[in-house]
């Protein structure tokens, strides 16, 4: 081995040691306190894109979605999940061509026995969307894709919020 390759190997080993000592973990992995957690989502059907995306994120992170609330460590109650489309701009002909798209999810997290782990909260995503009305079919498809992306992003945000809330130590009630 040459001196140069030996130095590269030493630097790589030191870097790996420092990286492992700083608490670094892969982005998709669950905190150690949540690895055994399973979740049940109440309020939306299993075929809903939001639930499918949440399930994918959860399984990628080492968790799983339970088939029934009593099989889960935590139940995510989706109180409301709603998409809205509101015109915010007009063309010269007086037709709406600028829209505000939003996706709003109101949720709370509890144990299967009903003890509240995370009180009712909401998350809302908004996107502005310009519809030039020259190609209505493609514009409809583009709007649909934007709405799907908002649902995916909302599932990711909900997962991160729940993971953070459940990985914290419980508050001292004294």
């Amino acid at each position: 081995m040459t001196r140069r390759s030996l130095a590269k190997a030493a630097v790589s080993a030191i870097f790996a040691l420092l990286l492992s000592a700083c608490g670094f973990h892969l982005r998709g992995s669950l905190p150690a306190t949540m690895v055994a957690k399973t979740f049940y989502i109440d309020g939306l059907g299993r075929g809903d894109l939001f639930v499918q995306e949440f399930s994918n994120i959860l399984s990628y992170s080492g968790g799983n979605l339970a088939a029934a609330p009593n099989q889960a460590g935590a139940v995510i109650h989706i109180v409301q999940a709603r998409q809205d489309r509101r015109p915010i701009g007009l063309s010269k002909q007086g037709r709406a061509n600028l829209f505000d798209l939003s996706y709003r999810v109101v949720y709370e997290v509890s144990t299967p026995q009903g003890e509240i782990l995370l009180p009712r909260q909401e998350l809302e995503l908004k996107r502005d969307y310009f519809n030039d009305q020259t190609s209505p079919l493609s514009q409809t498809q583009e709007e649909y894709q934007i709405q799907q992306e908002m649902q995916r992003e909302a599932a990711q945000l909900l997962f991160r919020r729940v993971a953070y809330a459940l990985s914290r130590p419980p508050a001292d009630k004294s």
Side-chain angles (χ1 to χ4, degrees):
M1 244 182 167
T2 65
R3 200 176 269 192
R4 186 178 185 141
S5 63
L6 188 58
K8 282 183 181 180
V11 168
S12 296
I14 290 170
F15 181 71
L17 182 65
L18 289 173
L19 192 60
S20 66
C22 76
F24 174 80
H25 62 278
L26 292 174
R27 178 180 171 181
S29 61
L30 285 169
T33 57
M34 282 189 58
V35 171
K37 292 281 186 189
T38 57
F39 295 96
Y40 177 79
I41 296 182
D42 181 38
L44 293 176
R46 283 213 181 249
D48 191 271
L49 179 64
F50 179 85
V51 175
Q52 289 174 353
E53 185 65 23
F54 189 88
S55 177
N56 291 341
I57 295 165
L58 188 60
S59 65
Y60 176 73
S61 300
N64 61 359
L65 206 56
N70 59 357
Q71 299 171 346
V75 177
I76 301 171
H77 301 279
I78 305 295
V79 178
Q80 181 184 48
R82 190 174 86 198
Q83 290 182 344
D84 286 323
R85 178 182 191 248
R86 187 174 58 105
I88 57 175
L90 300 174
S91 67
K92 291 179 183 177
Q93 292 80 25
R95 292 184 182 163
N97 64 356
L98 184 61
F99 296 93
D100 178 39
L101 303 177
S102 66
Y103 186 67
R104 180 175 181 244
V105 177
V106 179
Y107 66 94
E108 67 182 15
V109 181
S110 67
T111 64
Q113 294 78 29
E115 178 187 342
I116 300 296
L117 300 173
L118 199 59
R120 187 175 288 198
Q121 298 181 9
E122 94 174 42
L123 64 92
E124 186 172 16
L125 300 169
K126 291 188 174 215
R127 300 287 184 274
D128 289 340
Y129 163 67
F130 180 73
N131 180 350
D132 67 2
Q133 300 175 353
T134 57
S135 179
L137 291 177
S138 65
Q139 296 299 325
T140 303
Q141 182 63 28
E142 183 179 356
E143 184 175 329
Y144 178 70
Q145 286 177 339
I146 292 169
Q147 289 172 341
Q148 285 184 320
E149 278 305 312
M150 288 192 310
Q151 286 184 22
R152 287 186 184 101
E153 187 177 342
Q156 293 168 3
L157 283 169
L158 178 63
F159 175 78
R160 286 191 291 253
R161 285 184 180 186
V162 170
Y164 175 74
L166 297 182
S167 66
R168 292 181 300 168
D172 189 18
K173 295 182 179 180
S174 56

